[in-house]
Amino acid sequence: MASVNNARTLHNLALVGFMGTGKSTIGRIAAELMQFTFVDTDALIEARLGRTISQVFEQEGEAAFRQYEKSAVQELAREQRLVIATGGGLVMDPSNLASLKDHALVIWLCATPEAIWERVRAQTHRPLLQTPDPLAKIREMLAARTPSYREADVYIDSGLRPPREVAAQIAHQFHLARKR
Ligand code: S3P
Protein backbone atom coordinates (compact mmCIF):
# COMPACT_ATOMS: atom_id res chain seq x y z
CA MET A 1 0.00 0.00 0.00
CA ALA A 2 1.38 3.39 -0.96
CA SER A 3 1.90 5.72 1.98
CA VAL A 4 0.01 9.00 2.23
CA ASN A 5 2.43 11.84 1.71
CA ASN A 6 2.06 14.38 4.51
CA ALA A 7 2.51 17.34 2.17
CA ARG A 8 -0.78 16.54 0.43
CA THR A 9 -3.97 18.33 1.37
CA LEU A 10 -6.78 15.83 1.29
CA HIS A 11 -9.71 17.94 0.19
CA ASN A 12 -11.50 15.08 -1.54
CA LEU A 13 -11.81 11.33 -1.65
CA ALA A 14 -11.48 9.39 -4.92
CA LEU A 15 -12.57 5.81 -5.57
CA VAL A 16 -10.70 3.91 -8.25
CA GLY A 17 -11.11 0.34 -9.43
CA PHE A 18 -12.54 -1.89 -12.10
CA MET A 19 -16.06 -1.64 -13.51
CA GLY A 20 -18.59 -3.25 -11.21
CA THR A 21 -16.64 -2.91 -7.97
CA GLY A 22 -19.32 -0.62 -6.52
CA LYS A 23 -17.57 2.76 -6.87
CA SER A 24 -20.83 4.63 -7.53
CA THR A 25 -23.09 2.77 -5.10
CA ILE A 26 -20.54 2.80 -2.28
CA GLY A 27 -19.34 6.31 -3.13
CA ARG A 28 -22.85 7.72 -2.84
CA ILE A 29 -23.28 6.24 0.63
CA ALA A 30 -19.80 7.36 1.75
CA ALA A 31 -20.56 10.91 0.56
CA GLU A 32 -23.74 10.88 2.61
CA LEU A 33 -21.89 9.67 5.72
CA MET A 34 -19.15 12.28 5.28
CA GLN A 35 -21.50 15.06 4.22
CA PHE A 36 -19.52 15.45 1.02
CA THR A 37 -20.94 15.83 -2.50
CA PHE A 38 -20.90 12.74 -4.67
CA VAL A 39 -19.65 13.00 -8.24
CA ASP A 40 -19.13 10.31 -10.85
CA THR A 41 -16.70 11.08 -13.71
CA ASP A 42 -18.84 9.15 -16.24
CA ALA A 43 -21.97 11.07 -15.19
CA LEU A 44 -20.05 14.34 -15.36
CA ILE A 45 -18.91 13.58 -18.92
CA GLU A 46 -22.43 12.56 -19.93
CA ALA A 47 -23.87 15.77 -18.47
CA ARG A 48 -21.24 17.95 -20.18
CA LEU A 49 -21.73 16.30 -23.58
CA GLY A 50 -25.44 15.49 -23.41
CA ARG A 51 -24.63 11.95 -24.60
CA THR A 52 -24.19 8.58 -22.92
CA ILE A 53 -20.77 6.96 -22.54
CA SER A 54 -21.87 4.25 -25.01
CA GLN A 55 -22.73 6.94 -27.57
CA VAL A 56 -19.35 8.62 -27.07
CA PHE A 57 -17.54 5.29 -27.65
CA GLU A 58 -19.70 4.56 -30.69
CA GLN A 59 -19.46 7.99 -32.30
CA GLU A 60 -15.92 9.08 -31.39
CA GLY A 61 -14.09 6.00 -30.08
CA GLU A 62 -12.24 5.26 -26.87
CA ALA A 63 -9.37 7.74 -27.41
CA ALA A 64 -11.83 10.65 -27.51
CA PHE A 65 -13.56 9.35 -24.37
CA ARG A 66 -10.18 9.28 -22.57
CA GLN A 67 -9.67 12.95 -23.45
CA TYR A 68 -13.07 13.83 -21.96
CA GLU A 69 -12.08 11.83 -18.88
CA LYS A 70 -8.85 13.82 -18.59
CA SER A 71 -10.77 17.12 -18.75
CA ALA A 72 -13.15 15.90 -16.05
CA VAL A 73 -10.18 15.06 -13.80
CA GLN A 74 -8.73 18.54 -14.34
CA GLU A 75 -12.08 20.14 -13.57
CA LEU A 76 -12.43 18.20 -10.30
CA ALA A 77 -8.96 19.22 -9.09
CA ARG A 78 -10.36 22.64 -8.26
CA GLU A 79 -13.12 21.30 -5.99
CA GLN A 80 -13.39 20.42 -2.31
CA ARG A 81 -15.48 18.05 -0.18
CA LEU A 82 -16.18 15.62 -2.99
CA VAL A 83 -16.39 11.86 -3.13
CA ILE A 84 -15.32 11.11 -6.70
CA ALA A 85 -16.21 7.78 -8.34
CA THR A 86 -13.89 7.35 -11.32
CA GLY A 87 -14.39 5.34 -14.50
CA GLY A 88 -12.58 1.99 -14.34
CA GLY A 89 -9.92 2.95 -16.90
CA LEU A 90 -9.24 6.47 -15.70
CA VAL A 91 -6.13 5.68 -13.66
CA MET A 92 -4.42 4.04 -16.65
CA ASP A 93 -3.33 7.56 -17.54
CA PRO A 94 -0.64 8.32 -14.91
CA SER A 95 -1.35 12.07 -15.11
CA ASN A 96 -4.96 11.42 -14.01
CA LEU A 97 -3.76 9.45 -11.02
CA ALA A 98 -1.16 12.10 -10.15
CA SER A 99 -3.82 14.82 -10.32
CA LEU A 100 -6.20 12.89 -8.05
CA LYS A 101 -3.41 12.19 -5.57
CA ASP A 102 -2.69 15.86 -5.38
CA HIS A 103 -6.00 16.71 -3.71
CA ALA A 104 -7.69 13.44 -2.79
CA LEU A 105 -7.19 10.31 -0.73
CA VAL A 106 -7.29 7.60 -3.40
CA ILE A 107 -9.00 4.35 -2.44
CA TRP A 108 -8.94 1.23 -4.61
CA LEU A 109 -12.10 -0.85 -4.43
CA CYS A 110 -10.94 -4.31 -5.41
CA ALA A 111 -12.86 -7.50 -6.20
CA THR A 112 -12.20 -10.80 -7.97
CA PRO A 113 -13.04 -11.20 -11.69
CA GLU A 114 -15.88 -13.56 -10.71
CA ALA A 115 -17.43 -11.06 -8.24
CA ILE A 116 -17.14 -8.33 -10.88
CA TRP A 117 -18.79 -10.53 -13.50
CA GLU A 118 -21.68 -11.29 -11.12
CA ARG A 119 -22.27 -7.57 -10.70
CA VAL A 120 -22.02 -6.53 -14.35
CA ARG A 121 -23.54 -9.50 -16.20
CA ALA A 122 -27.07 -8.07 -16.23
CA GLN A 123 -25.92 -4.61 -17.38
CA THR A 124 -25.40 -3.40 -20.94
CA HIS A 125 -24.06 0.14 -20.59
CA ARG A 126 -20.34 -0.70 -20.60
CA PRO A 127 -19.02 -0.75 -24.17
CA LEU A 128 -15.74 -2.47 -23.25
CA LEU A 129 -17.59 -5.55 -21.96
CA GLN A 130 -19.74 -6.05 -25.07
CA THR A 131 -17.66 -9.04 -26.20
CA PRO A 132 -18.40 -12.77 -26.69
CA ASP A 133 -16.50 -13.76 -23.51
CA PRO A 134 -16.83 -10.91 -20.98
CA LEU A 135 -15.36 -12.88 -18.05
CA ALA A 136 -12.15 -13.53 -20.01
CA LYS A 137 -12.07 -9.86 -20.95
CA ILE A 138 -12.52 -8.85 -17.29
CA ARG A 139 -9.61 -11.14 -16.27
CA GLU A 140 -7.37 -9.75 -18.99
CA MET A 141 -8.19 -6.07 -18.33
CA LEU A 142 -8.00 -6.46 -14.56
CA ALA A 143 -4.54 -8.03 -14.83
CA ALA A 144 -3.36 -5.18 -17.06
CA ARG A 145 -4.79 -2.50 -14.78
CA THR A 146 -3.89 -3.89 -11.38
CA PRO A 147 -0.43 -2.23 -11.27
CA SER A 148 -2.14 1.16 -11.70
CA TYR A 149 -4.83 0.43 -9.10
CA ARG A 150 -2.06 -0.56 -6.69
CA GLU A 151 -0.85 3.04 -6.77
CA ALA A 152 -3.87 3.95 -4.59
CA ASP A 153 -3.32 5.03 -0.98
CA VAL A 154 -5.71 2.47 0.51
CA TYR A 155 -7.08 -0.87 -0.76
CA ILE A 156 -10.51 -2.12 0.26
CA ASP A 157 -12.13 -5.37 -0.87
CA SER A 158 -15.63 -4.42 -1.95
CA GLY A 159 -16.73 -7.89 -3.02
CA LEU A 160 -17.21 -9.31 0.44
CA ARG A 161 -19.39 -6.97 2.46
CA PRO A 162 -22.56 -4.90 2.06
CA PRO A 163 -22.06 -1.44 0.44
CA ARG A 164 -22.96 0.39 3.65
CA GLU A 165 -20.18 -1.36 5.60
CA VAL A 166 -17.62 -0.64 2.90
CA ALA A 167 -18.75 2.99 2.78
CA ALA A 168 -18.34 3.31 6.56
CA GLN A 169 -14.82 1.88 6.28
CA ILE A 170 -14.00 4.39 3.54
CA ALA A 171 -15.25 7.31 5.63
CA HIS A 172 -13.15 6.02 8.54
CA GLN A 173 -10.00 5.73 6.39
CA PHE A 174 -10.50 9.27 5.16
CA HIS A 175 -10.86 10.55 8.70
CA LEU A 176 -7.65 8.75 9.75
CA ALA A 177 -5.68 10.00 6.73
CA ARG A 178 -6.69 13.60 7.37
CA LYS A 179 -5.48 13.36 10.98
CA ARG A 180 -2.02 12.12 9.92
C1 S3P B 1 -14.53 2.00 -18.33
C2 S3P B 1 -15.34 1.98 -17.23
C3 S3P B 1 -16.64 2.67 -17.19
C4 S3P B 1 -16.66 3.83 -18.18
C5 S3P B 1 -16.28 3.36 -19.55
C6 S3P B 1 -14.88 2.75 -19.58
C7 S3P B 1 -13.25 1.26 -18.30
O1 S3P B 1 -16.87 3.18 -15.87
O2 S3P B 1 -15.79 4.86 -17.76
O3 S3P B 1 -17.24 2.44 -19.98
O4 S3P B 1 -12.37 1.54 -19.11
O5 S3P B 1 -13.09 0.40 -17.39
P1 S3P B 1 -17.25 2.27 -14.59
O6 S3P B 1 -15.97 1.74 -14.02
O7 S3P B 1 -17.92 3.22 -13.68
O8 S3P B 1 -18.15 1.20 -15.09
Short mmCIF file of all heavy atoms in Angstrom, two decimals, residues 17-20 23 42 53 57 65-66 69 86-89 125-128 141 145, ligand 1:
data_model
loop_
_atom_site.label_atom_id
_atom_site.label_comp_id
_atom_site.label_asym_id
_atom_site.label_seq_id
_atom_site.Cartn_x
_atom_site.Cartn_y
_atom_site.Cartn_z
N GLY A 17 -10.92 1.78 -9.38
CA GLY A 17 -11.11 0.34 -9.43
C GLY A 17 -11.88 -0.06 -10.67
O GLY A 17 -12.41 0.79 -11.39
N PHE A 18 -11.94 -1.35 -10.87
CA PHE A 18 -12.54 -1.89 -12.10
C PHE A 18 -14.04 -1.65 -12.14
O PHE A 18 -14.67 -1.40 -11.11
CB PHE A 18 -12.25 -3.40 -12.17
CG PHE A 18 -12.27 -3.95 -13.56
CD1 PHE A 18 -11.21 -3.75 -14.41
CD2 PHE A 18 -13.38 -4.66 -14.02
CE1 PHE A 18 -11.23 -4.25 -15.71
CE2 PHE A 18 -13.41 -5.15 -15.31
CZ PHE A 18 -12.34 -4.95 -16.16
N MET A 19 -14.60 -1.72 -13.35
CA MET A 19 -16.06 -1.64 -13.51
C MET A 19 -16.73 -2.66 -12.59
O MET A 19 -16.21 -3.77 -12.41
CB MET A 19 -16.45 -2.03 -14.96
CG MET A 19 -15.89 -1.14 -16.01
SD MET A 19 -16.24 -1.78 -17.70
CE MET A 19 -14.64 -2.40 -18.20
N GLY A 20 -17.83 -2.29 -12.01
CA GLY A 20 -18.59 -3.25 -11.21
C GLY A 20 -18.04 -3.52 -9.83
O GLY A 20 -18.44 -4.49 -9.18
N LYS A 23 -18.06 1.38 -7.12
CA LYS A 23 -17.57 2.76 -6.87
C LYS A 23 -18.72 3.75 -6.72
O LYS A 23 -18.71 4.59 -5.82
CB LYS A 23 -16.64 3.21 -8.00
CG LYS A 23 -15.30 2.48 -8.03
CD LYS A 23 -14.60 2.72 -9.36
CE LYS A 23 -15.39 2.09 -10.48
NZ LYS A 23 -14.80 2.08 -11.79
N ASP A 42 -18.04 9.51 -15.05
CA ASP A 42 -18.84 9.15 -16.24
C ASP A 42 -20.08 10.05 -16.33
O ASP A 42 -20.42 10.54 -17.41
CB ASP A 42 -19.29 7.69 -16.18
CG ASP A 42 -18.17 6.72 -16.48
OD1 ASP A 42 -17.14 7.15 -17.02
OD2 ASP A 42 -18.34 5.52 -16.19
N ILE A 53 -22.13 7.45 -22.31
CA ILE A 53 -20.77 6.96 -22.54
C ILE A 53 -20.77 6.01 -23.75
O ILE A 53 -19.87 6.06 -24.58
CB ILE A 53 -20.22 6.23 -21.27
CG1 ILE A 53 -20.19 7.19 -20.07
CG2 ILE A 53 -18.84 5.62 -21.53
CD1 ILE A 53 -19.35 8.42 -20.22
N PHE A 57 -18.40 6.36 -27.12
CA PHE A 57 -17.54 5.29 -27.65
C PHE A 57 -17.91 5.00 -29.10
O PHE A 57 -17.04 4.82 -29.95
CB PHE A 57 -17.68 4.02 -26.81
CG PHE A 57 -16.68 3.89 -25.69
CD1 PHE A 57 -16.82 4.64 -24.52
CD2 PHE A 57 -15.59 3.03 -25.78
CE1 PHE A 57 -15.91 4.52 -23.48
CE2 PHE A 57 -14.67 2.90 -24.74
CZ PHE A 57 -14.84 3.65 -23.60
N PHE A 65 -13.00 9.48 -25.73
CA PHE A 65 -13.56 9.35 -24.37
C PHE A 65 -12.47 9.62 -23.32
O PHE A 65 -12.70 10.31 -22.32
CB PHE A 65 -14.16 7.94 -24.18
CG PHE A 65 -14.52 7.65 -22.75
CD1 PHE A 65 -15.62 8.27 -22.15
CD2 PHE A 65 -13.75 6.78 -21.98
CE1 PHE A 65 -15.94 8.03 -20.82
CE2 PHE A 65 -14.07 6.54 -20.65
CZ PHE A 65 -15.17 7.16 -20.07
N ARG A 66 -11.27 9.09 -23.55
CA ARG A 66 -10.18 9.28 -22.57
C ARG A 66 -9.80 10.76 -22.45
O ARG A 66 -9.40 11.21 -21.38
CB ARG A 66 -8.95 8.44 -22.95
CG ARG A 66 -9.19 6.93 -22.96
CD ARG A 66 -9.60 6.38 -21.61
NE ARG A 66 -10.01 4.97 -21.69
CZ ARG A 66 -10.74 4.36 -20.76
NH1 ARG A 66 -11.14 5.01 -19.68
NH2 ARG A 66 -11.08 3.09 -20.90
N GLU A 69 -12.35 12.27 -20.26
CA GLU A 69 -12.08 11.83 -18.88
C GLU A 69 -10.99 12.71 -18.26
O GLU A 69 -11.09 13.14 -17.12
CB GLU A 69 -11.59 10.38 -18.94
CG GLU A 69 -12.30 9.46 -18.01
CD GLU A 69 -11.90 8.01 -18.16
OE1 GLU A 69 -10.89 7.66 -18.81
OE2 GLU A 69 -12.62 7.20 -17.57
N THR A 86 -14.55 7.21 -10.01
CA THR A 86 -13.89 7.35 -11.32
C THR A 86 -14.23 6.19 -12.24
O THR A 86 -14.48 5.07 -11.77
CB THR A 86 -12.35 7.39 -11.14
OG1 THR A 86 -11.92 6.16 -10.57
CG2 THR A 86 -11.93 8.54 -10.24
N GLY A 87 -14.21 6.42 -13.53
CA GLY A 87 -14.39 5.34 -14.50
C GLY A 87 -13.24 4.33 -14.34
O GLY A 87 -12.12 4.71 -13.99
N GLY A 88 -13.54 3.06 -14.61
CA GLY A 88 -12.58 1.99 -14.34
C GLY A 88 -11.22 2.12 -15.04
O GLY A 88 -10.24 1.58 -14.57
N GLY A 89 -11.18 2.85 -16.16
CA GLY A 89 -9.92 2.95 -16.90
C GLY A 89 -9.18 4.26 -16.67
O GLY A 89 -8.10 4.48 -17.21
N HIS A 125 -24.53 -1.21 -20.27
CA HIS A 125 -24.06 0.14 -20.59
C HIS A 125 -22.54 0.30 -20.64
O HIS A 125 -22.04 1.39 -20.74
CB HIS A 125 -24.66 1.15 -19.60
CG HIS A 125 -24.17 0.98 -18.20
ND1 HIS A 125 -24.71 0.04 -17.34
CD2 HIS A 125 -23.19 1.60 -17.51
CE1 HIS A 125 -24.08 0.11 -16.19
NE2 HIS A 125 -23.15 1.05 -16.26
N ARG A 126 -21.80 -0.83 -20.57
CA ARG A 126 -20.34 -0.70 -20.60
C ARG A 126 -19.79 -1.23 -21.92
O ARG A 126 -19.66 -2.45 -22.11
CB ARG A 126 -19.74 -1.45 -19.42
CG ARG A 126 -20.10 -0.80 -18.09
CD ARG A 126 -19.44 -1.52 -16.95
NE ARG A 126 -19.61 -0.85 -15.69
CZ ARG A 126 -20.57 -1.15 -14.82
NH1 ARG A 126 -21.48 -2.05 -15.12
NH2 ARG A 126 -20.64 -0.51 -13.67
N PRO A 127 -19.44 -0.32 -22.83
CA PRO A 127 -19.02 -0.75 -24.17
C PRO A 127 -17.86 -1.74 -24.18
O PRO A 127 -17.81 -2.63 -25.02
CB PRO A 127 -18.63 0.57 -24.86
CG PRO A 127 -18.66 1.64 -23.82
CD PRO A 127 -19.44 1.14 -22.66
N LEU A 128 -16.93 -1.61 -23.22
CA LEU A 128 -15.74 -2.47 -23.25
C LEU A 128 -16.05 -3.92 -22.90
O LEU A 128 -15.23 -4.81 -23.12
CB LEU A 128 -14.66 -1.92 -22.31
CG LEU A 128 -14.07 -0.57 -22.72
CD1 LEU A 128 -13.11 -0.04 -21.66
CD2 LEU A 128 -13.34 -0.68 -24.06
N MET A 141 -8.29 -7.51 -18.61
CA MET A 141 -8.19 -6.07 -18.33
C MET A 141 -7.78 -5.82 -16.88
O MET A 141 -7.01 -4.92 -16.59
CB MET A 141 -9.52 -5.37 -18.62
CG MET A 141 -9.84 -5.26 -20.09
SD MET A 141 -11.50 -4.60 -20.35
CE MET A 141 -11.29 -2.93 -19.85
N ARG A 145 -4.58 -3.74 -15.54
CA ARG A 145 -4.79 -2.50 -14.78
C ARG A 145 -4.35 -2.56 -13.33
O ARG A 145 -4.17 -1.51 -12.69
CB ARG A 145 -6.28 -2.15 -14.82
CG ARG A 145 -6.70 -1.70 -16.19
CD ARG A 145 -8.18 -1.44 -16.22
NE ARG A 145 -8.58 -0.88 -17.50
CZ ARG A 145 -9.79 -0.48 -17.77
NH1 ARG A 145 -10.74 -0.60 -16.86
NH2 ARG A 145 -10.08 0.03 -18.95
C1 S3P B 1 -14.53 2.00 -18.33
C2 S3P B 1 -15.34 1.98 -17.23
C3 S3P B 1 -16.64 2.67 -17.19
C4 S3P B 1 -16.66 3.83 -18.18
C5 S3P B 1 -16.28 3.36 -19.55
C6 S3P B 1 -14.88 2.75 -19.58
C7 S3P B 1 -13.25 1.26 -18.30
O1 S3P B 1 -16.87 3.18 -15.87
O2 S3P B 1 -15.79 4.86 -17.76
O3 S3P B 1 -17.24 2.44 -19.98
O4 S3P B 1 -12.37 1.54 -19.11
O5 S3P B 1 -13.09 0.40 -17.39
P1 S3P B 1 -17.25 2.27 -14.59
O6 S3P B 1 -15.97 1.74 -14.02
O7 S3P B 1 -17.92 3.22 -13.68
O8 S3P B 1 -18.15 1.20 -15.09
#
